[in-house]
């Protein structure tokens, strides 16, 4: 199923709204701290915030002004500085980066030209301009870097720089612990979603055996039971590489957790708080998710199983854009867009449940799956192989569903994320599954 058909003005309006929303968020994330925090590297896993800021502008210039608009480079001398493949994150602080004020001016100048271009672009004639794809790609790219910058804010030390209201309390979740997803074929991926990225394409038939999946993501309280039962000290539950990793690094709990007397506390965007029992567990790596699932007598769902649970409507006999149908997300459907600086409690957003009754598949936490990041049958890299193709293989595990830090423009039922199985700074959790129909 595709998004509703839009004429040129509707495409223009959607692109403008998406670009504007992304830039508002970028401004918030880079304007809430002083210059020393912008130029510092808060973790070797992350870029300085000022690098992300200018990189966002540089990518917008490359793909909109140059590729779509055919314009000359504004500042060709900085292209290599902001090439993510030329300079790994650990070395970016040593580069002659644009200082914060200059980076802001550059990004703003690019945006002004991009909005002029948006007014004059015909949304046909090339794959880049069809249905406004290039503008959608750039809005998604900026929002993805906004999520990366939010991770940097979580990693930085010092007083909190960001605030947001907490999600409304959810009533105690009293539904079934798991849901049966019937076996059979379904349509995975998309060939029609206009702003879908290359790794989501093409749509293809996938056969899935019957399985059960958790109604909601694993909560902090459930994960604490794993810890208290010696989960981090029992080799039985761990993949060999995972066991070696946690022993080497002394990992005994999710990232940012620490024990104080008889309770677990966590540092959350500069605030130390008691770990909320009803929220989905956050900041666990793939190995931790896999070990918990084994301990619980279950397993992680495959990527295909996750997508069938999220998109398959057995009554209509088709795949929908989102668990709740084809309509774009609203706050009633999912916790997205950094409205809250945390996941919502299990059982929140009942309007976003799938037809089978699976909750919170979109938003709250990225969910680790059992699957390696691989191309779909018929995959074609577009518009450049470095977006997806160079990451395919067994080194990266797939995450699905988005988190509270993801904007709706960069989150849909087909959207695929990926990372190394040791990564914990990302806003990732998981749910478990088991095979069979009984």
């Amino acid at each position: 199923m595709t998004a509703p058909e839009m004429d040129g003005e509707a495409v223009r309006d959607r692109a403008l709204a998406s670009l504007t929303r992304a830039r508002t968020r970028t401004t918030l994330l880079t304007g809430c701290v002083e210059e020393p925090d912008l130029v510092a590297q808060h973790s070797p896993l992350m870029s300085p915030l000022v690098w992300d800021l200018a990189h966002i502008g540089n990518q917008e210039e490359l793909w909109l002004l140059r590729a779509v608009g055919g314009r000359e480079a504004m500042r060709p001398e900085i292209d290599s500085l902001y090439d993510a493949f030329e300079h790994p994150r650990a070395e970016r602080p040593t580069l002659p980066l644009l200082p914060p004020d200059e980076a802001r001016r550059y990004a703003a100048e690019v945006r002004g030209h991009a909005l002029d271009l948006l007014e004059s672009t015909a949304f046909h004639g090339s794959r880049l301009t069809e249905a406004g794809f290039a503008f959608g790609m750039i809005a998604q790219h900026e929002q993805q870097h906004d999520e990366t910058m939010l991770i940097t804010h979580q990693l930085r030390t010092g007083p909190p720089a960001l605030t947001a209201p907490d999600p409304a309390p959810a009533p105690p979740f009293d539904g079934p612990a798991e849901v049966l997803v019937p076996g059979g074929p379904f349509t995975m991926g998309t060939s029609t979603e206009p702003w879908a990225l290359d790794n989501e394409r093409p749509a293809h038939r996938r056969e899935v055996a019957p399985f059960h999946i958790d109604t909601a993501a694993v909560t902090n309280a459930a994960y604490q039971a794993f810890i208290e039962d010696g989960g981090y000290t029992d080799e039985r539950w761990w993949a060999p590489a995972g066991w070696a990793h946690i022993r080497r690094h002394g990992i005994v709990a999710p990232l940012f957790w620490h024990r104080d007397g008889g309770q677990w506390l966590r540092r959350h965007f500069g605030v130390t708080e008691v770990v909320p029992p009803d929220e989905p567990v956050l900041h666990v790596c793939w190995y931790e998710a896999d070990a918990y699932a084994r301990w619980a007598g279950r397993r992680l769902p495959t990527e295909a199983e996750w997508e069938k649970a999220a998109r398959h409507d057995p009554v209509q006999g088709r795949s929908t854009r989102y668990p709740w149908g084809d309509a774009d997300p609203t706050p009633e459907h999912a916790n997205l867009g950094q409205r809250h600086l945390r996941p919502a409690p299990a059982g929140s957003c009942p309007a976003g449940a799938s037809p089978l009754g699976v909750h919170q598949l979109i938003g709250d936490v990225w969910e680790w799956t059992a699957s390696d990041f691989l191309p779909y049958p018929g995959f074609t890299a577009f518009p450049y192989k470095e977006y997806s193709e160079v990451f395919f293989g067994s080194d990266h595990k797939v995450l699905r569903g988005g988190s509270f830090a993801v904007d709706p423009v960069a989150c849909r039922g087909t959207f695929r994320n990926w990372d190394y199985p040791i990564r914990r700074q990302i806003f990732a959790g998981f749910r478990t599954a088991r095979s069979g129909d009984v």
Side-chain angles (χ1 to χ4, degrees):
M1 180 70 186
T2 184
E5 290 294 326
M6 293 185 289
D7 61 22
E9 284 310 304
V11 170
R12 220 177 306 278
D13 290 345
R14 184 189 183 203
L16 177 61
S18 299
L19 290 167
T20 301
R21 192 167 66 245
R23 187 52 49 89
T24 298
R25 188 178 177 198
T26 299
T27 301
L28 168 67
L29 290 166
T30 57
C32 63
V33 291
E34 299 298 327
E35 183 167 329
D37 271 333
L38 288 174
V39 300
Q41 185 173 47
H42 299 281
S43 164
L45 296 174
M46 313 304 292
S47 307
L49 292 170
V50 74
W51 185 92
D52 286 289
L53 175 58
H55 170 76
I56 285 167
N58 187 245
Q59 288 294 294
E60 187 166 326
E61 185 196 347
L62 285 170
W63 289 104
L64 296 187
L65 303 190
R66 300 188 208 173
V68 173
R71 303 188 183 186
E72 293 295 321
M74 291 169 55
R75 300 191 62 169
E77 75 280 3
I78 69 171
D79 285 354
S80 66
L81 297 178
Y82 298 103
D83 185 329
F85 287 89
E86 187 167 339
H87 300 288
R89 288 175 175 174
E91 71 175 41
R92 290 172 190 170
T94 67
L95 302 174
L97 303 177
L98 300 181
D101 285 346
E102 192 172 351
R104 289 190 182 99
R105 286 194 298 271
Y106 169 64
E109 185 178 359
V110 171
R111 175 53 57 88
H113 292 310
L115 295 183
D116 290 341
L117 181 66
L118 178 62
E119 285 298 313
S120 61
T121 298
F123 301 118
H124 57 78
S126 76
R127 288 186 65 187
L128 271 180
T129 57
E130 187 70 34
F133 174 82
F135 294 92
M137 179 182 72
I138 288 301
Q140 291 176 81
H141 174 265
E142 182 163 355
Q143 287 285 6
Q144 287 169 323
H145 275 271
D146 288 340
E147 182 178 9
T148 299
M149 290 193 285
L150 189 62
I151 293 170
T152 300
H153 275 278
Q154 169 63 11
L155 288 164
R156 65 179 284 274
T157 57
L162 296 166
T163 59
D166 288 343
F173 185 69
D174 59 0
E178 63 178 9
V179 169
L180 171 65
V181 180
F186 81 107
T187 299
M188 187 171 184
T190 180
S191 297
T192 55
E193 186 73 31
W195 289 359
L197 304 171
D198 60 3
N199 63 65
E200 302 171 65
R201 302 172 181 270
H204 58 287
R205 177 187 171 98
R206 189 68 68 95
E207 191 81 24
V208 175
F211 67 99
H212 291 79
I213 191 167
D214 289 341
T215 308
V218 172
T219 63
N220 288 318
Y223 198 83
Q224 285 180 41
F226 168 66
I227 298 174
E228 302 306 329
D229 196 43
Y232 280 88
T233 60
D234 193 334
E235 188 176 358
R236 287 180 298 164
W237 313 128
W238 295 83
W243 179 250
H245 179 71
I246 67 161
R247 303 302 289 176
R248 183 183 312 117
H249 296 280
I251 294 171
V252 297
L255 186 61
F256 307 116
W257 286 30
H258 70 275
R259 199 162 184 97
D260 183 17
Q263 66 183 352
W264 283 102
L265 306 179
R266 72 176 182 186
R267 181 169 60 82
H268 189 71
F269 294 108
V271 175
T272 298
E273 62 182 20
V274 175
V275 172
D278 295 332
E279 287 184 11
V281 68
L282 192 63
H283 297 303
V284 289
C285 71
W286 184 90
Y287 291 123
E288 290 169 290
D290 179 63
Y292 174 96
R294 295 173 194 241
W295 170 80
R298 298 169 69 82
R299 59 177 175 79
L300 295 179
T302 67
E303 183 182 14
E305 287 173 335
W306 189 97
E307 187 166 325
K308 184 168 187 181
R311 298 185 62 215
H312 181 64
D313 185 331
V315 174
Q316 298 185 61
R318 68 179 183 90
S319 291
T320 56
R321 298 178 66 215
Y322 298 96
W324 55 85
D326 297 324
D328 288 337
T330 69
E332 287 69 41
H333 292 126
N335 176 21
L336 293 166
Q338 202 183 309
R339 290 191 311 272
H340 312 292
L341 285 173
R342 61 178 63 242
S348 299
C349 302
S354 75
L356 294 172
V358 189
H359 287 249
Q360 292 168 278
L361 285 156
I362 299 293
D364 293 310
V365 294
W366 286 107
E367 298 185 13
W368 289 110
T369 73
S371 299
D372 296 336
F373 184 48
L374 299 172
Y376 289 159
F379 166 84
T380 301
F382 177 78
Y384 57 104
K385 67 179 182 179
E386 288 82 7
Y387 180 73
S388 303
E389 186 175 321
V390 298
F391 297 102
F392 290 146
S394 60
D395 288 345
H396 296 88
K397 295 294 186 181
V398 173
L399 303 103
R400 299 298 298 263
S403 73
F404 67 90
V406 176
D407 185 82
V409 76
C411 185
R412 47 196 162 263
T414 58
F415 194 93
R416 308 172 76 194
N417 192 7
W418 64 94
D419 215 325
Y420 292 111
I422 63 171
R423 289 290 186 250
R424 306 206 302 158
Q425 82 277 12
I426 58 178
F427 300 117
F430 64 98
R431 71 182 73 214
T432 69
R434 66 180 177 91
S435 302
D437 55 5
V438 294

